[in-house]
């Protein structure tokens, strides 16, 4: 995990993971938690939570003391809190997909695996792709990244009027509570200040107008939701870094529900998921009916860069 932290951009967690890998108090707190790779993420998430709650100050320079002083609380946190992240930057990768399918009708968004639902507010953020921008200049959050070969400028003249925001998650995070907001912030790595700032601003937006978050397995819930949709609006089902965790047969169920319902029209599908064959790792794909699934871009997993291929 130390190598992983190093590679993905946290020098702080890499150094701490190395320094404490064989520390008996870590073994005591984390126990035999499986999968093993998740242990450090849960443990650092717990320490970061204590820092954000003001229980400890500057915990990283004196980690061992913090682990000792908060042993029982951290043991409970590690056991009870699966890693929960909501990466708002992925909206920068998703936006060209939304604009590609927008057809002027009101949009009813359905997100599969939204975590806290922060990406259901993609239309409230501002975006920059080189010279191109989209969204209000007053938006409290601007997202930008490295874009190569597109997206085509004409896309950015499209407008999107979102009417409904619904998400289905096994463990939705309620950021209207202090605990929910803090859990989400705690799982951002403590030295990734840009990510922390983004998630905080997005939480502020979500708090003013909380989305509808349904608790459940979307493989089961989605068909019923689609059957009830309003055909006068365009229902846009989307997901990022979520379907990739499903078993093959469950993924097939989601896809067949979408194809089945797509035949009735008024449905679009925007997908940002892992594709093993590509160097950037992820792909942006869209589909409307009648029509084929189209791959628009290759994406970095956290939405920091994009290569337009459509
Ligand atoms: C890695 S997070 C990604 C969250 C968000 N889509 C983003 O890009 O930031 C994956 C989310 O999918 C949810 N999830 C995975 N499989 C699910 C399922 N079958 N039903 C409901 N939620 C699921 C998890 O609970 C988690 O919140």
């Amino acid at each position: 995990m130390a190598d992983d932290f190093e590679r993905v951009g946290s020098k702080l967690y890499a150094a701490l993971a190395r320094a404490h890998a064989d520390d008996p108090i870590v073994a005591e707190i984390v126990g035999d938690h499986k999968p093993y790779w998740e242990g450090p993420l849960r443990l650092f998430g717990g320490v970061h939570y204590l820092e954000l709650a003001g229980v400890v100050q500057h915990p990283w320079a004196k980690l061992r003391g913090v682990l000792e002083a908060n042993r029982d609380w951290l043991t409970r946190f590690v056991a009870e809190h699966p890693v929960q992240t909501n990466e708002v930057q992925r909206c920068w990768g998703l936006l060209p997909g939304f604009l590609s399918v927008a057809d002027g009708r009101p949009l009813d968004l359905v997100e599969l695996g939204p975590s806290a639902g922060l990406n259901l507010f993609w239309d409230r953020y501002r975006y920059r792709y080189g010279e191109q921008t989209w969204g209000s200049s007053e938006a409290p959050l601007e997202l930008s990244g490295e874009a190569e070969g597109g997206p085509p400028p004409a896309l950015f003249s499209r407008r999107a009027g979102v009417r409904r925001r619904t998400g289905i998650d096994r463990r939705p995070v309620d950021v209207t509570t202090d605990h929910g907001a803090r859990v989400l912030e705690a799982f951002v790595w403590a030295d990734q200040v840009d990510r922390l700032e983004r998630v905080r601003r997005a939480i502020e937006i979500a708090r003013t107008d909380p989305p509808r978050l349904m608790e459940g397995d979307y493989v089961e819930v989605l068909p019923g939701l689609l059957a009830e949709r309003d055909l006068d609006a365009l229902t846009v089902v989307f997901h990022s870094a979520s379907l990739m965790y499903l078993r093959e047969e469950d993924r097939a169920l989601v896809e067949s529900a979408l194809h089945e319902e797509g035949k009735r029209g008024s449905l679009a599908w925007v997908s940002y998921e892992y594709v093993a064959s590509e160097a950037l790792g992820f792909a942006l794909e869209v589909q409307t009916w009648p029509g084929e699934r189209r791959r628009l871009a290759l994406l970095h997993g956290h939405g920091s860069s994009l290569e337009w291929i459509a």
Side-chain angles (χ1 to χ4, degrees):
M1 277 311 285
D3 292 345
D4 256 31
F5 286 132
E6 186 97 61
R7 200 171 40 76
V8 188
S10 177
K11 285 199 165 62
L12 175 69
Y13 282 14
L16 291 170
R18 274 195 194 104
H20 294 276
D22 297 319
D23 192 331
I25 194 166
V26 169
E28 219 178 282
I29 291 171
V30 174
D32 199 24
H33 182 84
K34 291 202 182 69
Y36 288 128
W37 57 265
E38 223 190 33
L41 295 172
R42 289 190 181 213
L43 180 67
F44 292 154
V47 174
H48 197 193
Y49 186 103
L50 290 174
E51 182 184 24
L52 293 166
V55 176
V56 294
Q57 271 88 40
H58 311 298
W60 309 108
K62 47 175 189 201
L63 186 62
R64 191 156 217 294
V66 172
L67 299 182
E68 271 167 5
N70 299 279
R71 185 190 314 235
D72 293 346
W73 188 91
L74 285 167
T75 304
R76 260 202 320 281
F77 185 94
V78 168
E80 290 171 6
H81 286 88
V83 179
Q84 260 296 8
T85 54
N86 199 178
E87 186 50 74
V88 183
Q89 177 68 25
R90 290 201 184 106
C91 288
W92 184 83
L94 284 163
L95 179 80
F98 294 133
L99 296 181
S100 297
V101 299
D103 62 3
R105 284 183 286 173
L107 304 179
D108 288 349
L109 305 176
V110 176
E111 184 174 3
L112 308 180
S115 179
L118 303 182
N119 293 352
L120 281 162
F121 293 93
W122 56 267
D123 57 313
R124 307 248 177 110
Y125 310 148
R126 181 171 170 83
Y127 298 84
R128 187 171 291 282
Y129 304 78
E131 298 293 295
Q132 305 296 327
T133 58
W134 189 88
S136 164
S137 54
E138 317 265 282
L141 177 59
E142 178 174 303
L143 302 173
S144 62
E146 295 276 322
E148 217 186 285
L155 211 51
F156 298 106
S157 58
R158 295 202 182 180
R159 295 286 157 260
V162 175
R163 188 179 69 167
R164 290 189 188 138
R165 306 170 202 272
T166 305
I168 314 159
D169 202 292
R170 262 199 207 113
R171 289 184 70 102
V173 179
D174 180 1
V175 292
T176 63
T177 69
D178 287 346
H179 173 69
R182 206 173 285 142
V183 164
L184 209 58
E185 290 175 25
F187 280 118
V188 176
W189 301 349
D191 56 343
Q192 298 196 318
V193 283
D194 290 352
R195 277 179 86 190
L196 207 51
E197 184 56 27
R198 269 199 304 275
V199 89
R200 283 195 175 132
R201 289 187 184 205
I203 286 171
E204 285 308 307
I205 294 172
R207 280 185 155 182
T208 60
D209 176 19
R212 174 185 177 213
L213 293 182
M214 301 167 71
E215 186 169 348
D217 182 340
Y218 56 67
V219 180
E220 290 162 15
V221 177
L222 181 65
L225 209 58
L226 291 181
E228 288 170 4
R229 75 186 185 281
D230 177 357
L231 296 175
D232 291 331
L234 178 67
T235 295
V236 181
V237 175
F238 74 100
H239 46 86
S240 57
S242 179
L243 252 69
M244 60 192 254
Y245 296 111
L246 294 188
R247 292 177 306 174
E248 189 108 348
E249 56 266 39
D250 285 339
R251 202 158 48 230
L253 284 175
V254 170
E255 296 188 359
S256 82
L258 285 161
H259 288 301
E260 208 41 53
E261 281 293 334
K263 291 182 197 150
R264 291 201 296 134
S266 299
L267 184 63
W269 177 17
V270 177
S271 164
Y272 178 161
E273 296 292 338
Y274 181 68
V275 280
S277 55
E278 300 294 346
L280 276 175
F282 286 69
L284 175 67
E285 297 179 331
V286 298
Q287 179 156 18
T288 48
W289 288 266
E292 296 293 311
R293 188 161 171 170
R294 291 183 294 138
R295 185 169 287 186
L296 300 181
L298 303 176
L299 299 164
H300 180 275
H302 287 144
S304 56
S305 63
L306 159 169
E307 183 189 338
W308 193 258
I309 55 169

